Amino acid sequence: MEKMVNIEHDYLRLLKDILDNGVEKQDRTGTGTRSVFGRQIRHKMSEGFPLLTTKKMPFKIIATELLWFLRGDTNIKYLLDNGCNIWTGDAFGNYLRTYKGNFVMDKEEFVNAIKTAPDFAEKYGDLGPVYGKQWRAWSFPEVNGHFGPIDQIKILIQSLKTNPDSRRLMVNAWNVGELHEMILPPCHYGFQVYTRELSWEEQVQWVMKNTDVEWENLYIVEEIAKESTPKRAISLMWNQRSVDTFLGLPFNIASYGLLLEIIATAVNMVPDELIGNLGDTHLYSNHIDQAKEQLTREPYTLPTLNINTEWWPTESGECGIGPIDAVAVVEGFSNDNFCKCLLEEDLQLGNYQSHPHIKAPLSN
């Protein structure tokens, strides 16, 4: 086994903290939790992509959900069409509460109807103004009384390109005026990014890591660093009010790690730190034994991530030639016919070795 890596260490330490110090609390699902409050986890992206190895994690499902957010989508049809069932229980529960007919579908019939019946999907597949709506089309009142959308992701990318030292590089999902319309209010309710200039030594190290040039050709290394090496590092910190630590948090860690990688690629920066600020951090009562089992496992080395940018739009308007046009990349997330880089298969996970999956029930 390899030495325990940073994010895995923090995560396993958090599991033990909850088991040792958590208090018993009731919750809206009726399951019951063991809970602590106010914790933080940190990870240096240079140590590897933060996908936990002490249990097998479904990277494709994590990537699908993130791309769904970035598309500005709030309907589960896209998720179901791509094999992701993260939000199915929430949508099905809402269907059961609101359906007025004499015949109520079971869950399997409900999923099939979402996939095959557009009118049904439009009515019962939508979750309200959840993450994608807030990230890409936050509603705001204009002077004339109409509402207009704010694309927070687009603004973030533009700000990173024009004012990377800004302290306002934030995206928020906690829209108080629309919480009542959401199937589930955001658990991870906002994130902030931070950039810094890379030192000359860090730029040279980046060249050595990402090119085939040897140290003996130091002059060539330095010339590459001057011309094309990223000049800044970028970190991301997310805030989370409620944390299902066994099932949900490993997804959140990987999802925000992936978001950091995508943004960094779009604006030509180096992913630096990933930080999670956690509020009510809990284990459901039916996850206790699973957490104890995971704590017996030694982590493996973290995997790597490669993002295929061959078909990303460039500043010249072409695909795959010249510097990437970051804003065009972001705009393309909501375009069904956009470049294939926005598909899960272009987010390439490498060298992922893990312990077996640990089954645990989901509380909706």
Side-chain angles (χ1 to χ4, degrees):
M1 298 283 183
E2 298 287 341
K3 181 181 178 181
M4 187 179 292
V5 290
N6 194 327
I7 192 65
E8 202 106 39
H9 175 270
D10 266 12
Y11 177 77
L12 295 177
R13 179 166 53 86
L14 184 61
L15 287 182
K16 190 172 190 308
D17 180 16
I18 298 170
L19 290 172
D20 292 345
N21 304 308
V23 298
E24 304 300 321
K25 293 188 66 177
Q26 296 304 309
D27 69 286
R28 65 174 178 84
T29 71
T31 307
T33 67
R34 187 176 296 182
S35 170
V36 296
F37 183 69
R39 299 296 189 266
Q40 186 179 81
I41 54 175
R42 306 179 74 100
H43 175 62
K44 290 289 288 184
M45 296 297 288
S46 59
E47 295 180 357
F49 184 74
L51 191 67
L52 298 190
T53 67
T54 45
K55 64 177 180 181
K56 188 173 180 61
M57 295 295 300
F59 176 72
K60 182 182 183 301
I61 291 175
I62 294 168
T64 295
E65 185 194 35
L66 177 62
L67 295 184
W68 180 66
F69 293 159
L70 289 170
R71 287 163 54 92
D73 201 344
T74 60
N75 195 296
I76 66 166
K77 185 178 188 311
Y78 173 86
L79 298 176
L80 294 177
D81 288 345
N82 288 277
C84 177
N85 286 287
I86 294 175
W87 289 85
T88 304
D90 297 289
F92 182 61
N94 184 62
Y95 161 75
L96 293 178
R97 289 188 296 270
T98 60
Y99 187 68
K100 304 300 183 182
N102 295 322
F103 173 72
V104 178
M105 299 178 179
D106 63 24
K107 193 171 184 179
E108 183 178 350
E109 292 168 329
F110 172 80
V111 167
N112 185 62
I114 294 290
K115 289 181 176 181
T116 60
D119 291 343
F120 184 89
E122 182 178 359
K123 184 174 182 179
Y124 293 111
D126 193 78
L127 302 170
V130 293
Y131 298 98
K133 165 66 162 54
Q134 305 307 331
W135 284 16
R136 303 306 307 275
W138 178 294
S139 297
F140 72 100
E142 296 178 338
V143 176
N144 60 10
H146 297 292
F147 287 81
I150 298 176
D151 189 338
Q152 295 188 81
I153 299 295
K154 183 176 179 180
I155 292 171
L156 174 66
I157 294 296
Q158 290 174 326
S159 299
L160 284 168
K161 294 180 70 177
T162 59
N163 187 16
D165 283 324
S166 173
R167 296 187 292 269
R168 302 175 182 180
L169 303 171
M170 300 175 66
V171 171
N172 198 345
W174 192 263
N175 188 338
V176 177
E178 294 188 333
L179 291 179
H180 65 286
E181 300 177 34
M182 303 177 189
I183 296 297
L184 181 69
C187 293
H188 44 101
Y189 58 86
F191 68 91
Q192 179 178 359
V193 298
Y194 170 94
T195 81
R196 63 176 178 84
E197 292 186 354
L198 290 170
S199 68
W200 175 247
E201 290 76 15
E202 287 176 313
Q203 293 180 46
V204 170
Q205 289 172 3
W206 185 92
V207 174
M208 296 304 302
K209 181 179 178 181
N210 293 278
T211 72
D212 296 327
V213 181
E214 301 293 337
W215 270 113
E216 289 77 7
N217 298 313
L218 185 59
Y219 172 77
I220 298 176
V221 171
E222 292 179 343
E223 288 302 306
I224 294 174
K226 290 178 184 177
E227 295 298 324
S228 58
T229 302
K231 300 301 187 288
R232 282 185 173 264
I234 181 170
S235 297
L236 184 150
M237 178 174 69
W238 86 90
N239 298 306
Q240 193 157 348
R241 64 172 179 86
S242 176
V243 190
D244 174 355
T245 306
F246 185 77
L247 285 181
L249 184 56
F251 273 70
N252 301 136
I253 293 168
S255 181
Y256 276 106
L258 181 57
L259 179 61
L260 176 55
E261 290 274 6
I262 289 172
I263 293 173
T265 301
V267 297
N268 193 32
M269 296 183 186
V270 177
D272 196 4
E273 273 200 288
L274 179 68
I275 304 163
N277 293 320
L278 312 176
D280 187 320
T281 308
H282 51 265
L283 283 168
Y284 281 103
S285 58
N286 52 4
H287 294 170
I288 300 299
D289 290 340
Q290 291 90 332
K292 290 178 179 178
E293 179 182 351
Q294 190 168 357
L295 281 168
T296 67
R297 298 176 172 184
E298 287 292 327
Y300 296 103
T301 301
L302 289 179
T304 59
L305 179 76
N306 179 62
I307 300 178
N308 177 22
T309 61
E310 181 180 2
W311 301 107
W312 285 31
T314 67
E315 293 173 1
S316 66
E318 302 292 335
C319 285
I321 304 171
I324 291 171
D325 185 338
V327 174
V329 169
V330 171
E331 290 175 340
F333 276 108
S334 58
N335 182 348
D336 288 337
N337 297 317
F338 188 60
C339 304
K340 73 184 183 79
C341 69
L342 301 182
L343 301 177
E344 293 85 347
E345 53 262 36
D346 287 280
L347 305 171
Q348 301 160 354
L349 191 70
N351 303 316
Y352 182 50
Q353 183 180 12
S354 74
H355 292 268
H357 170 71
I358 302 175
K359 188 175 182 179
L362 177 64
S363 295
N364 290 119

